[in-house]
Amino acid sequence: MPLALCLAVTVSPGRTGEQLHVCKESEYHYEYTACDSSGSRWRVAVPHTPGLCTGLPDPVRGTECSFSCKAGEFLEMQTQMCRPCAEGTYSLGTGVRFDEWDEVPHGFANVATNMEVDDSFGDVAENCTASTWVPLGDYVASNTDECMATLMYAVSLKQSGTVTFEYIYPDSSIVFEFFVQNDQCQPTVEESRWMRTTEKGWEFHSVELSRGNNVLYWRTTAFSVWSKVPKPVLVRNIGITGVAFTSECFPCKPGTFAPAAGSAACQPCPADTFSGKGATACQPCDPETYAEPGSGSCKPRPPCTDKDFFYTHTACDADGETQLMYKWAEPKICSEELPQAAQLPPSGIKTRCPPCNPGFAKGNGSTCQPCPYGSYSNGSACLSCPEGTEPALGLEYKWWNVLPPNMETTVLSGINFEYKGIAGWEVAGDYIYTAAGASDSDFMILTLVVPGFSPPSPVLEDTESREVARITFVFETLCSVGCELYFMVGVNSRTNTPVETWTGSTGKQSYTYLVEKNATMSFTWAFQRTPYHEAGRRFTSDVAKLYSINVTNVQGGVASFCRRCAPQPTGSCAPCSPGSAVDPSSGTCQPCPSGTYLRSHPSDGTPTCHPCGPGTCSNQLRSLCYNNCSLALALPGRMLRFEFPSLGMGAGVGTGPSFTPKGLPYSHHFRLSLCGHQGRKMASCADNVTAGRGGPAHVVTSYVCQAIVVPPDITGARAAVSSQPISLGDYLLGVTTSSVLDNIVSPPELFPPGHPDLPDIIFFFRSNDMTQPCSGGRATTIRLRCDPLHLGTGTLAVPRWGGDTGDPEGGFTWPRHLLLSGLGTSLGCFALETPLSQCQCPSLLGVILAVPSKCPEGTCDGCTFHFLWVTAEGCPRCSSFHHRPIVGACIGGVQVIQACRSMDFWLKVGISTGTCVAVLLAALAAYFWKKTQKLEYKYSKLVMDAVARESDATSPDSCAIMEGEDAEDELLFATEMSLFGKFKALTAKFPHHRMAPGLNFPTPQRMPDGFDSVPLKTSSSSTKQEL
């Protein structure tokens, strides 16, 4: 079928009647028509200005729609052939690239929205209009609040392609997702939705795209639950291939160059050089100017100041001496030749070198060498360990003459987040400190790598503490602005996770981190003077200092002391078998007795037997102490036994929804496991936000754990988003009725009072996680309270913020939704060998849980968490104390003796009194309800009368007391009746009230109890009516 192409020539009015000239090549360009159903298209000539010329070239068949050129080439429309790009230009072939972010590029949509929260919180939620992605030159940065910021780009691909970009995702408190949807809004690459946190600078990410329409989404949402503001996500160099052919090449942007033809990308200019747009080479700066890498121009050098140099110490020479010297900070951008410029100070005099670090000693030369295995050293000389001891291997650095070989330092730019080949920390004899960077926003990085660990005894899975080693360091920060020091831990060169952060100046202090995994570990210290990106050095005097670093149980380490061990016949030492420890008197391994467990001594790490806490017992391997879901409680004159096996399965509890300033709802979810299972930890909390693509989520397993949970309908995920899991209890200290154990306090006033004769059973847990505010680790107390009406696991509650009705004293709030059944005046029990129905446990009164408003989310100080568990499992088992024998009649020559629940006299009196009070309250409630109904009717009648009079209508001479209606509400008693008299009058008034004939009010009469009643005064002639 022939294809007819019609080219319409438009003639402008001003040229009507004029002869048009033949179009020159410079007056038109070529374009392709739209692809037809067979994938074909035509090349046509289109004039730049319609009606200017005539005689355009005829259309010719074009290339196939799927045709494309390679990267570094472009399609020449004249010949319809691929040509290489000229020098100074580049092309992606079938793609586009976005590497300049001075503003959001054309075609991108940048929006921010509030999370979907309840309408009642719409007034308090802040506006999210400004919480979008922010272009910052070379990259674009995400928001850092709870708003949902989305960067979108829609593209139609002629063939299958890819999308690539680089990103920095340092903070897991931000949810960062990248996904692709087709034109039916269906996700195409679900496994790549959740991005992985980055560890070392920019990371590359690539996703395949299908032919057709694709919508790309970069979406972030921060969970600013804690006071710290998270660090933003950064994205740069977004490239998309498969778009279409490229008919021209793009010039290199300033600061870059393309030296050869056919370039697919431009290279950045090195330092102290610059280039303009479309450059083929970079030009050097003049001596009095400088330029950073990738600069489009040079800047004049400022005069040098004392902020541009730092001090360090030289390595020990052959004479054992060192020297203080000064160095210019790299890169050096200042000039010493300008007026008033500072000069580099002269080097100091030589001094004696400090001793070697513990475990090292000087060899034949002046360098420190590690002592051989079997010996130890305090830094002066290597000494052999005595018989019956072994070296306690580790690493201890407290003298800083040279950087140890297993440590490295570098600088991460705070502007473009590229690593620089310069040192960020410098040795200074007694300490190591942060040197001057290129700018105050640079991160000064120091990393210590440990190949593995060798604990003195095997670390079992079921143990109180899975500690294989610990690192302790002494540090100090001196800052004039908001500096930050980060301590991070990496496992097997991955997952460099921030553990602790210190902001501002801190005094000299120590910090300890427990290592619970035997793997290659990296410990990193990162110091940033200020997060604001400003050129130059203003806060070089703000420094972080490390005085000492001590790592225990290092594989292949050195020893500063020796510890006792069990000698072998060969003369060497071997660790004791599980459950045994070295006896100091005999030097042999002895099993730990029952009721004790193995714990490493804090000074030398030698395992010793320690007694278990109250209410606990040791497991078979003596690796931990646990509660076997039972307790024997000695009270004056009797012994109570508790059995709560169903609580060993664990439970979960969540707080009510809380809201961030932007209106994002979240809640704290707790998992608890009290007892049983030979002490195995059964509670687990997960982090499913930062899980790798296709990898498992990060899970914390302990006795008590906590996680931040955001509902799935808010985030759009398939399940609830759980993040930031932490352990609140790694080992059980004891189970007791005392409110204090091991300096952990469970204040009884946090919860409503229990039964005076049956105290709460309190479980005390402690965590191994030592944080800056919780130097001793987090702790948890769980109060187990008896309530026979709550069968099974019962009700678990936490002290939380706010309530529905405030307490007049201001100390408590009373939320209506936390209604628990309490103990009232009775003592509950559980039958030990008989069914529960045969154990005459009395009915209990309902009480409302009192929660202190000063303790939000279950904790008052962020370190100790408190829970109340109300359940029938917390009741003591029935014993002989709870029963009395009843001798029955002889039936068939057999006399039956039954056991019945014993109740003392005052307990019976209390129950009877409570029943009477309940009946009285019910009667009074019915009486006042009836009275209120009548008053409402009378009031409405009076209103109707007043309206009738105002409209000159006749109204009945009445006070709304109709015939047949009782008039007891209008009676005024002359004297006070007794309680019995009032009840008698109340029952007598209903059948004996009489109405006088012809009147609308009752006739005065004598009441049956002898009291006179006075009728209501009324006047129909007055506009005022009285009651």
Side-chain angles (χ1 to χ4, degrees), residues 630-970:
S630 66
L631 183 68
L633 180 61
L635 295 179
R638 62 186 186 274
M639 176 71 72
L640 298 181
R641 290 185 56 194
F642 296 84
E643 301 285 344
F644 33 90
S646 64
L647 303 188
M649 301 306 296
V653 60
T655 63
S658 300
F659 294 87
T660 61
K662 294 291 186 180
L664 174 68
Y666 70 93
S667 62
H668 293 277
H669 186 72
F670 301 91
R671 296 292 303 176
L672 303 91
S673 60
L674 281 184
C675 55
H677 307 284
Q678 285 289 310
R680 290 192 298 272
K681 302 177 178 67
M682 304 300 293
S684 60
C685 299
D687 182 354
N688 58 11
V689 175
T690 58
R693 298 184 297 275
H698 172 58
V699 178
V700 171
T701 303
S702 61
Y703 293 114
V704 186
C705 62
Q706 176 201 32
I708 305 291
V709 176
V710 178
D713 56 336
I714 299 300
T715 60
R718 294 180 177 177
V721 174
S722 175
S723 66
Q724 304 176 27
I726 58 174
S727 173
L728 304 180
D730 289 313
Y731 54 94
L732 178 63
L733 294 174
V735 183
T736 177
T737 58
S738 174
S739 297
V740 181
L741 182 63
D742 195 25
N743 296 323
I744 301 176
V745 181
S746 175
E749 64 271 12
L750 292 183
F751 299 101
H755 194 278
D757 295 332
L758 185 61
D760 296 336
I761 300 173
I762 308 176
F763 287 72
F764 291 85
F765 297 90
R766 191 181 292 279
S767 170
N768 292 326
D769 296 336
M770 290 176 285
T771 62
Q772 183 178 353
C774 309
S775 57
R778 299 182 182 93
T780 300
T781 68
I782 303 177
R783 286 179 171 265
L784 189 61
R785 181 169 294 178
C786 169
D787 185 354
L789 295 185
H790 279 69
L791 302 180
T793 57
T795 301
L796 185 62
V798 298
R800 69 180 299 272
W801 189 282
D804 296 325
T805 306
D807 178 38
E809 301 296 330
F812 297 93
T813 55
W814 306 82
R816 300 187 183 95
H817 62 280
L818 290 179
L819 180 63
L820 302 181
S821 294
L823 285 173
T825 59
S826 60
L827 179 63
C829 67
F830 252 174
L832 184 61
E833 297 177 353
T834 57
L836 180 62
S837 59
Q838 299 182 18
C839 181
Q840 300 297 321
C841 300
S843 300
L844 306 178
L845 297 177
V847 300
I848 297 178
L849 177 65
V851 296
S853 59
K854 64 180 181 180
C855 297
E857 312 303 347
T859 177
C860 300
D861 56 3
C863 295
T864 304
F865 293 76
H866 308 279
F867 300 89
L868 175 65
W869 202 331
V870 182
T871 172
E873 292 281 325
C875 298
R877 298 291 178 172
C878 294
S879 63
S880 60
F881 171 76
H882 299 95
H883 302 273
R884 60 184 176 89
I886 297 179
V887 179
C890 291
I891 301 176
V894 179
Q895 189 177 40
V896 180
I897 301 179
Q898 296 181 343
C900 181
R901 174 76 163 84
S902 64
M903 301 175 64
D904 54 47
F905 172 75
W906 291 110
L907 185 59
K908 298 176 182 178
V909 171
I911 295 176
S912 301
T913 303
T915 304
C916 294
V917 171
V919 173
L920 175 61
L921 292 176
L924 290 177
Y927 167 71
F928 285 113
W929 176 82
K930 182 176 180 63
K931 183 175 181 180
T932 302
Q933 294 294 106
K934 294 178 179 180
L935 287 176
E936 289 179 355
Y937 173 76
K938 295 171 186 177
Y939 175 75
S940 63
K941 191 67 175 177
L942 288 174
V943 173
M944 293 173 62
D945 292 345
V947 174
R949 281 192 299 272
E950 292 177 359
S951 61
D952 296 329
T954 59
S955 62
D957 187 9
S958 171
C959 285
I961 304 177
M962 305 303 293
E963 183 176 358
E965 184 178 348
D966 294 331
E968 75 278 1
D969 294 314
E970 289 74 31

Side-chain angles (χ1 to χ4, degrees), residues 174-188:
I174 291 183
V175 177
F176 178 34
E177 49 184 331
F178 171 76
F179 58 97
V180 182
Q181 290 184 346
N182 56 20
D183 48 5
Q184 282 81 36
C185 295
Q186 297 175 345
T188 58

Side-chain angles (χ1 to χ4, degrees), residues 521-686:
M521 305 288 292
S522 63
F523 306 100
T524 301
W525 295 264
F527 179 75
Q528 186 183 33
R529 292 178 170 88
T530 175
Y532 302 104
H533 308 308
E534 296 182 1
R537 306 181 180 100
R538 297 176 53 195
F539 306 108
T540 307
S541 57
D542 294 0
V543 296
K545 298 181 179 180
L546 281 175
Y547 292 93
S548 64
I549 301 175
N550 186 7
V551 187
T552 63
N553 303 333
V554 176
Q555 180 179 347
V558 294
S560 59
F561 63 94
C562 300
R563 58 190 172 200
R564 296 190 62 87
C565 65
Q568 299 297 308
T570 58
S572 60
C573 289
C576 295
S577 59
S580 301
V582 177
D583 184 9
S585 58
S586 62
T588 59
C589 293
Q590 298 294 331
C592 289
S594 178
T596 64
Y597 71 102
L598 283 170
R599 188 175 72 180
S600 299
H601 195 276
S603 61
D604 58 7
T606 303
T608 56
C609 302
H610 288 259
C612 292
T616 64
C617 57
S618 56
N619 61 353
Q620 295 180 353
L621 296 179
R622 306 294 187 262
S623 58
L624 54 80
C625 297
Y626 72 102
N627 180 273
N628 59 359
C629 298
S630 66
L631 183 68
L633 180 61
L635 295 179
R638 62 186 186 274
M639 176 71 72
L640 298 181
R641 290 185 56 194
F642 296 84
E643 301 285 344
F644 33 90
S646 64
L647 303 188
M649 301 306 296
V653 60
T655 63
S658 300
F659 294 87
T660 61
K662 294 291 186 180
L664 174 68
Y666 70 93
S667 62
H668 293 277
H669 186 72
F670 301 91
R671 296 292 303 176
L672 303 91
S673 60
L674 281 184
C675 55
H677 307 284
Q678 285 289 310
R680 290 192 298 272
K681 302 177 178 67
M682 304 300 293
S684 60
C685 299

Side-chain angles (χ1 to χ4, degrees), residues 69-292:
C69 297
K70 298 185 299 182
E73 296 180 343
F74 72 101
L75 181 63
E76 187 184 57
M77 297 294 290
Q78 179 72 28
T79 61
Q80 298 193 73
M81 298 180 62
C82 294
R83 304 293 185 189
C85 291
E87 299 176 357
T89 62
Y90 75 98
S91 79
L92 299 178
T94 62
V96 292
R97 177 179 295 162
F98 304 97
D99 53 6
E100 297 185 46
W101 293 92
D102 295 320
E103 61 181 3
V104 177
H106 177 71
F108 278 87
N110 191 12
V111 296
T113 57
N114 279 94
M115 287 292 189
E116 296 180 3
V117 298
D118 189 85
D119 294 337
S120 59
F121 294 91
D123 296 335
V124 299
E126 297 181 9
N127 197 328
C128 288
T129 305
S131 299
T132 58
W133 290 75
V134 180
L136 296 174
D138 293 333
Y139 54 85
V140 59
S142 74
N143 64 322
T144 56
D145 52 28
E146 306 84 59
C147 298
M148 179 183 292
T150 305
L151 190 66
M152 296 180 292
Y153 186 78
V155 61
S156 178
L157 300 187
K158 304 302 181 182
Q159 58 186 17
S160 299
T162 58
V163 54
T164 61
F165 60 91
E166 296 177 87
Y167 72 99
I168 289 182
Y169 179 17
D171 201 326
S172 61
S173 59
I174 291 183
V175 177
F176 178 34
E177 49 184 331
F178 171 76
F179 58 97
V180 182
Q181 290 184 346
N182 56 20
D183 48 5
Q184 282 81 36
C185 295
Q186 297 175 345
T188 58
V189 192
E190 182 66 25
E191 66 274 8
S192 301
R193 184 183 187 98
W194 307 105
M195 301 301 295
R196 195 177 208 158
T197 54
T198 56
E199 313 300 338
K200 296 181 178 180
W202 295 93
E203 288 197 9
F204 183 81
H205 186 66
S206 176
V207 174
E208 294 184 358
L209 301 178
S210 302
R211 179 180 177 180
N213 295 326
N214 294 267
V215 184
L216 316 179
Y217 292 85
W218 293 264
R219 178 175 293 169
T220 57
T221 303
F223 294 91
S224 301
V225 176
W226 315 116
S227 58
K228 188 186 72 170
V229 177
K231 294 189 176 300
V233 176
L234 308 181
V235 175
R236 72 175 185 184
N237 292 340
I238 299 177
I240 304 172
T241 62
V243 177
F245 66 91
T246 301
S247 60
E248 60 180 346
C249 297
F250 302 98
C252 295
K253 67 177 183 178
T256 62
F257 70 102
S263 297
C266 299
Q267 307 175 27
C269 291
D272 293 332
T273 63
F274 72 100
S275 70
K277 185 176 182 179
T280 60
C282 298
Q283 305 299 319
C285 295
D286 295 334
E288 63 274 7
T289 61
Y290 77 98
E292 297 178 354

Side-chain angles (χ1 to χ4, degrees), residues 431-492:
Y431 55 85
I432 183 173
Y433 77 107
T434 52
S439 68
D440 292 330
S441 62
D442 289 350
F443 291 89
M444 321 306 288
I445 309 295
L446 178 67
T447 301
L448 168 66
V449 179
V450 178
F453 303 94
S454 57
S457 59
V459 179
L460 305 177
E461 187 70 20
D462 297 333
T463 183
E464 177 199 69
S465 174
R466 300 177 186 175
E467 175 185 348
V468 298
R470 62 173 56 193
I471 176 173
T472 302
F473 56 91
V474 179
F475 70 99
E476 180 184 19
T477 58
L478 302 172
C479 303
S480 58
V481 291
C483 66
E484 286 186 318
L485 175 64
Y486 302 88
F487 175 63
M488 298 174 286
V489 177
V491 180
N492 294 327

